[in-house]
Amino acid sequence: MSETSRPQQPSRTARRAFLLGGMALLGLGGLGAARWFNIGARISRHDLTAPDALAEVQAGTVTLVDIRRPDEWADTGL
């Protein structure tokens, strides 16, 4: 009887390297996404807080422009 040849399996080291490489890519992608979406941003002295913005609008020094779509208006009722 002849011996049946099976395909050679990748070594354990190669599988671990592939897994660690994939995890590193996912981690870098997560960091890039966090930076893109500005997660963890800090408020600088030039940014307005909500109470400051309200005071500026009431004083007439800032004009707010509402850019919501009609369906967003319908959702809030305002």
Side-chain angles (χ1 to χ4, degrees):
M1 282 193 142
S2 66
E3 195 175 307
T4 308
S5 62
R6 293 188 306 181
Q8 188 175 4
Q9 295 290 325
S11 70
R12 181 175 285 200
T13 305
R15 287 184 295 204
R16 284 184 182 165
F18 182 74
L19 179 64
L20 289 174
M23 290 173 60
L25 284 175
L26 283 174
L28 288 173
L31 287 174
R35 182 173 175 142
W36 176 264
F37 289 108
N38 209 13
I39 295 172
R42 297 181 185 196
I43 297 176
S44 72
R45 61 189 173 116
H46 301 292
D47 292 337
L48 286 176
T49 63
D52 292 341
L54 177 61
E56 296 284 333
V57 168
Q58 290 172 339
T61 57
V62 171
T63 301
L64 293 181
V65 178
D66 192 344
I67 59 169
R68 291 180 290 173
R69 298 183 315 261
D71 61 315
E72 293 171 328
W73 272 84
D75 288 343
T76 61
L78 299 174

